[in-house]
Amino acid sequence: MAGPHTIGERIQAMTTEYIAAVTPKAVCRAADLLQRGEVVAFPTETVYGLGAVAFNSVAVRKVFDAKGRPADNPLIVHVAAVEDIHRIAVRLPPLFGVITARFFPGPLTIIVDKHPDVPDIVTAGLPSVAVRMPAHDVALALIRAVGEPLVAPSANRSGRPSPTSAQHVLDDLDTRIAAVLDGGICTIGIESTVISLRGNQIAILRPGSITKEELEEATGQGAVYADMGKSEVPVAPGMKYRHYAPQARIILAHTQQEVQQRLQGARMKVIRVLANEPIEGAEDVRLLCAATLYAEFRQADADGMEEIVLLCSSDIQGDKGLMNRILKAAAG
Ligand code: TXA
Ligand code: MG
């Protein structure tokens, strides 16, 4: 059984409370823990987040500790109402109103200038802050019940796939956090699109389910993918870390034939195939899509798979957010 190993971990080990988000009282229980400076995982439409009150530096430190997250990787601050953004950000550019009117609440995170009240630990010392209003009733009810914005990185141990169920959260963080609020399975399955609006320009720092085209259509203005290659410091600090990688080796295939060759050429290996179409001659093909990608990575590891072959059809390649996660997993 997995448990605390070092003396330090043993002292800090706690029982993680499981709270099913089925009554208003359950949400209040989770809110009460957060108000007392504890760390609680909660559902959003993208992935589960690891919440703490954004203005409580001690609680925010616990989020970094529980995840094993490097201190130079800033957190997203979550709000339940657009007005509350004024508590965490200043000098909102004109584009901000246009974009939030169309996409908030939703799977979009916007980088703007930080309010001085936001502790430096939240933004890893940066002068900017990431804000998001999740489109998830349980998340919104929780933030309202707490009455404060919540920081929430994905509720996984650093380097693991993001969790899309309460069970995934417990698999990674049991005994390391006070509670998990179970609101079912996340529908989108990959993390929010992250954009920067500093200088009133739209730069996409992390692709997601809200696309470049949707942002351009909503604003009548061009958007660019931030080029991390040219900069010493990646624009989204988190993008430089190993991410989303299962234990199994990831192999990318582009045609049915390539998948079949892989299966034939490696008879002894335990191989899982993910694709969005049936593969001739292959029995055990699981669906490749954003909603279940991370769950499939976790399942493949649990089943002892040595290799995961992903068929990147043209549809899949057209989904920039999904391809970004697949390529990162393959690079890990
Ligand atoms: O869908 C999501 O965004 C989920 C849910 C829980 O809301 N959260 C999430 O958080 O994915 P996290 O911490 O795993 O990813 C946040 C990303 C990181 O790549 C981080 O470096 C970047 O956003 N980020 C945060 N603040 C930033 C800032 N001020 N400037 C640039 N990038 C920032
Ligand atoms: Mg993350």
Side-chain angles (χ1 to χ4, degrees):
M1 211 182 90
H5 297 297
T6 67
I7 290 172
E9 283 187 44
R10 223 174 286 150
I11 290 166
Q12 283 175 8
M14 60 182 118
T15 310
T16 297
E17 192 176 323
Y18 172 85
I19 308 172
V22 288
T23 62
K25 243 186 168 169
V27 175
C28 288
R29 168 68 189 152
D32 181 53
L33 288 166
L34 286 162
Q35 283 166 339
R36 285 194 267 143
E38 296 295 346
V39 165
V40 176
F42 64 92
T44 80
E45 78 280 34
T46 57
V47 300
Y48 272 73
L50 190 56
V53 170
F55 298 123
N56 181 340
S57 316
V58 176
V60 175
R61 158 90 47 216
K62 291 183 190 171
V63 170
F64 282 92
D65 289 348
K67 276 183 65 82
R69 183 178 178 107
D72 65 352
N73 193 2
L75 306 178
I76 299 172
V77 182
H78 296 65
V79 295
V82 176
E83 308 85 80
D84 292 341
I85 292 166
H86 297 288
R87 297 181 65 189
I88 52 180
V90 293
R91 292 186 293 278
L92 298 174
L95 264 182
F96 186 83
V98 178
I99 291 177
T100 53
R102 168 77 181 269
F103 296 107
F104 274 24
L108 180 70
T109 294
I110 308 180
I111 312 286
V112 283
D113 289 341
K114 168 188 165 320
H115 191 293
D117 287 355
V118 177
D120 282 336
I121 183 172
V122 171
T123 61
L126 293 174
S128 59
V129 64
V131 298
R132 167 160 133 75
M133 180 176 171
H136 193 289
D137 291 340
V138 174
L140 294 172
L142 178 68
I143 300 166
R144 276 189 213 110
V146 175
E148 306 274 9
L150 298 179
V151 295
S154 49
N156 51 290
R157 285 293 287 261
S158 263
R160 295 264 297 149
S162 293
T164 54
S165 72
Q167 185 58 53
H168 296 162
V169 174
L170 290 171
D171 290 345
D172 279 16
L173 298 174
D174 193 13
T175 73
R176 302 181 69 89
I177 61 174
V180 57
L181 182 60
D182 186 353
I185 289 170
C186 305
T187 52
I188 291 180
I190 60 170
E191 307 82 351
S192 61
T193 303
V194 178
I195 63 171
S196 167
L197 287 186
R198 301 182 84 212
N200 212 35
Q201 297 284 315
I202 308 171
I204 299 171
L205 312 191
R206 180 174 75 181
S209 64
I210 290 180
T211 63
K212 177 174 183 281
E213 292 70 28
E214 286 176 293
L215 289 161
E216 290 177 336
E217 193 261 316
T219 57
Q221 187 170 318
V224 293
Y225 290 107
D227 182 3
M228 290 172 27
K230 285 188 188 139
S231 153
E232 279 280 287
V233 182
V235 272
M239 303 297 273
K240 72 175 184 268
Y241 293 107
R242 185 174 185 270
H243 262 119
Y244 324 121
Q247 298 291 307
R249 201 150 85 97
I250 303 246
I251 304 289
L252 304 187
H254 297 92
T255 62
Q256 291 242 344
Q257 290 69 26
E258 278 176 45
V259 176
Q260 284 152 350
Q261 277 162 15
R262 196 74 209 169
L263 289 170
Q264 283 158 12
R267 243 174 257 119
M268 301 305 287
K269 285 203 184 117
V270 187
I271 298 183
R272 165 100 359 118
V273 179
L274 302 184
N276 68 346
E277 60 191 46
I279 310 277
E280 220 175 294
E283 296 284 300
D284 182 26
V285 179
R286 312 265 310 177
L287 185 65
L288 175 57
C289 66
T292 54
L293 180 76
Y294 292 144
E296 289 295 349
F297 283 170
R298 284 175 181 263
Q299 192 59 50
D301 282 348
D303 294 343
M305 295 291 154
E306 286 177 24
E307 204 168 286
I308 307 173
V309 179
L310 295 108
L311 175 56
C312 300
S313 63
S314 52
D315 286 358
I316 299 289
Q317 288 182 49
D319 183 336
K320 287 271 187 336
L322 177 57
M323 269 319 285
N324 171 270
R325 300 334 185 258
I326 290 173
L327 291 171
K328 277 179 176 291

